[in-house]
Amino acid sequence: MTEAKRLRVPDPLVLLSACILLAAVATWVLPAGEFERREDAATGRMVVVAGSYRAVEASPVGPFDAVVALPRGMIEAADVIFLVFLIGGAFVVVDASGTLGRAVSSLAHRLRGRDLLVIPIVSMFFALGGVTENMAEEIVALVPVLLVLCARVGFTPMVAVSMSVGAAFVGGAFSPVNPFQVLIAQGVAGLPPVSGWAFRTLFLLIALALWIGMTMRYAARTRIAPKAVDAGEGDAITARDRLVLAMVAVTFAVVVWGLLRAGWDFNRLSAAFFIMGVTVGIVSGMGFGGTASAFVRGFRDMAYAGLLIGFARAIYVVLDQGRIIDTIVHGVFLPIEGLPTLVSAFGMLVAQAAIHVPVPSVSGQAVLTMPLLVPLSDLLDISRQVTVLAYQYGAGLCSLLTPTDGALMAVIAAAGVRYEEWLKFAVPLYLMLMALGAVAIAVAMGIGLT
């Protein structure tokens, strides 16, 4: 098949713009409706009230208002966008210090002849980020480093995407402790936090083994000529480099602590990485001027990623303004009520995946869908823990594919991987992981997981 005849998805900005217009059209076609909402004491968030759906006055979004949704999406995603900017700036500072180049060359040299081991090492780092703090947008800033590493050992950019955002999303979807996903869902469902962790951990390990193994298989089949190391880049890591790497590691540890223990938001994460960047710049001898220049380069490099994140949020803005998000949720879950128990559980899994396209926030999806599914699962005699599993796997794994996920689109754009190429790689793995999720749900029902 020639390149001209091959299916090509437009540039991510064009694709997201088309999705915004499609969302606007949907507000004219679908009936408007809303659930009542109340504050949930367990999570401190507003959740929907089951059985409260009602039709409301239509609020269709016109063409001009759809365009207005673009800056509104940027504003609503401002905390995430500035997190990407500041992380990007901080890691350009680390890169400008020379530490990352020497660290990458050192790793490639140590694994010479065993290059495939790069994949499980890097994948487990990002998977741990997904498990502990739902790592997503933070990955964008690390893509240039991953591309250099992959070039050193002869891997394509697709491998960089797979072992970063792919591993992180799989880790987040199967995580036993993800604060933005499983813990919120368990809180809404009235379950003890981290309950069922051993069961989830077992299937987490299986899922990661599958993802990493298939990534290694792909990397072995698509090897390219490794990029030669330039003179000077192969120098040994210095004591200053070790100090810089230690500062980066400490920053990530503090971030994980802040998310899990102190309830940090994106603005506090941004502050932590900004402090890291400034400190690294000073320790590396770059001075305030050199550090500021590196931050500016990082901001420039992350501008496109920030636009993608804002455009993706604008889709939700349009659906929310048109008052059809609750209509979509109500329509997707309504058919599940009349299905047999096991089929209903599988239906929840598929329905959660469908809902994740218009609602790409896993935390937002939890407070939107769990109050509806918990009474339904009680009525059908389905364990609430199983209902949480269906939400986890359905919503979390869909992040691997949905174009409305700003983090995914930003990472593949930064890596130079086309969206249709990513789909060709990820869809078969996604289907395998969804099948694994279905097996986990069936096993949980069989053993009476509560």
Side-chain angles (χ1 to χ4, degrees), residues 359-445:
V359 188
S361 166
V362 288
S363 58
Q365 187 168 343
V367 299
L368 179 62
T369 63
M370 291 306 296
L372 304 177
L373 290 181
V374 167
L376 177 60
S377 61
D378 291 344
L379 180 66
L380 298 175
D381 197 26
I382 297 175
S383 165
R384 294 187 178 188
Q385 203 70 260
V386 169
T387 304
V388 174
L389 289 176
Y391 152 73
Q392 269 191 268
Y393 304 151
L397 290 175
C398 191
S399 294
L400 290 167
L401 305 180
T402 176
T404 57
D405 191 298
L408 172 65
M409 301 304 288
V411 169
I412 64 174
V417 174
R418 295 189 62 84
Y419 181 58
E420 68 270 20
E421 295 171 349
W422 171 250
L423 290 181
K424 183 179 179 181
F425 169 81
V427 166
L429 293 179
Y430 169 78
L431 295 176
M432 293 180 193
L433 291 170
M434 283 289 280
L436 177 63
V439 170
I441 288 172
V443 172
M445 294 182 69

Side-chain angles (χ1 to χ4, degrees), residues 128-261:
L128 183 62
V131 168
T132 56
E133 55 106 351
N134 205 52
M135 177 182 280
E137 289 83 5
E138 306 95 309
I139 299 171
V140 180
L142 299 175
V143 170
V145 180
L146 292 172
L147 291 177
V148 171
L149 175 59
C150 286
R152 293 286 187 272
V153 295
F155 296 154
T156 65
M158 182 72 74
V159 176
V161 176
S162 179
M163 64 184 183
S164 59
V165 74
F169 284 170
V170 173
F174 285 85
S175 171
V177 296
N178 187 336
F180 297 102
Q181 190 182 57
V182 63
L183 296 188
I184 290 178
Q186 287 182 328
V188 175
L191 295 170
V194 199
S195 56
W197 67 267
F199 181 88
R200 285 181 171 82
T201 300
L202 172 62
F203 281 92
L204 167 67
L205 296 176
I206 296 173
L208 288 177
L210 173 62
W211 185 269
I212 294 172
M214 295 302 289
T215 302
M216 294 174 70
R217 179 173 178 267
Y218 175 87
R221 294 173 60 184
T222 58
R223 293 295 291 264
I224 57 179
K227 178 181 177 182
V229 179
D230 297 333
E233 284 188 342
D235 293 345
I237 294 179
T238 66
R240 179 179 288 180
D241 291 336
R242 292 189 178 90
L243 177 58
V244 169
L245 292 174
M247 293 166 64
V248 173
V250 168
T251 300
F252 273 103
V254 170
V255 163
V256 171
W257 170 84
L259 288 168
L260 295 178
R261 299 296 182 184

Side-chain angles (χ1 to χ4, degrees), residues 36 80 98 144 171 201 225-226 311 327 348 365 399:
E36 294 179 11
V80 178
T201 300
F311 272 50
T327 297
M348 290 180 186
Q365 187 168 343
S399 294

